[in-house]
Structures are given as structure tokens and as C-alpha cells.
Amino acid sequence: MIDADTQLAYGIFWAAYAIAFVVFFYMMKQLFRLVPLYGLRTLLLAALVVLFLTPVQSPDLADWWIPAWIFGGYEAILGNMESAGRAVFNFGIAGLVMLLVWILDLVRYRLVTR
């Protein structure tokens, strides 16, 4: 059983991670304004969302989620490719969902700019 202090630390981590991602995303959005093509700009931003916001469930604790890039990288360094594969699988699912959202956004952009 996880005690209250550990749960609080888990919540603080995710709050700090989310705030840091929003700041990072805004900075990258300003940087990607230099890219002239709307589709490429939004694809790069979508890739950032998939890379940094895809979670994977912790094998040690139920209902605890870890950023997949941290978990997958750590497990790959340790040589545990089965666990790293779980992170890659989650990246694949998140990538497919984001690809669908990206395509729908391109359709929306095309219809609005006509």
C-alpha cells in the first residue's frame, strides 16, 4: 500500500511535468513558426505531444503511470527489451491516434482557408 506522502509526491510530479510541458510546447510553437508549411509545423508539434505525453503503466505499482520516453529509455539501457517494448507499443498507439487528429486538422485547415 502506498502512503499519503508518496501519493502527494506522485501528484506533484505530474503537475510539475504538465506545467513544464506546457511551457516547452509554447516555446517550441514559437520556434516552429519559422517553418513555412502549416502541415509540417503541426506535425512537429504533434510529434512533441506524442513523445512527451505518452504514458506507460508502472509494472511495480498498479494505477501509476510513467512518461513512456523515460520508462522505455531506462528499460532499454538496462537491457530489458520486453518492458521497453511496452513503451514503444504505447508510442505506436499514441502516434496513430495523433496521426488521425493531425489529418483531421489538415482537412479542417483546408476547408477554412478556401
Side-chain angles (χ1 to χ4, degrees), residues 69-80:
W69 67 274
I70 295 173
F71 179 79
Y74 181 72
E75 292 296 330
I77 289 170
L78 291 178
N80 191 355

Side-chain angles (χ1 to χ4, degrees), residues 36-55:
L37 299 173
Y38 176 80
L40 183 58
R41 239 186 350 250
T42 55
L43 180 63
L44 291 171
L45 291 172
L48 284 176
V49 170
V50 168
L51 181 65
F52 289 112
L53 293 185
T54 302

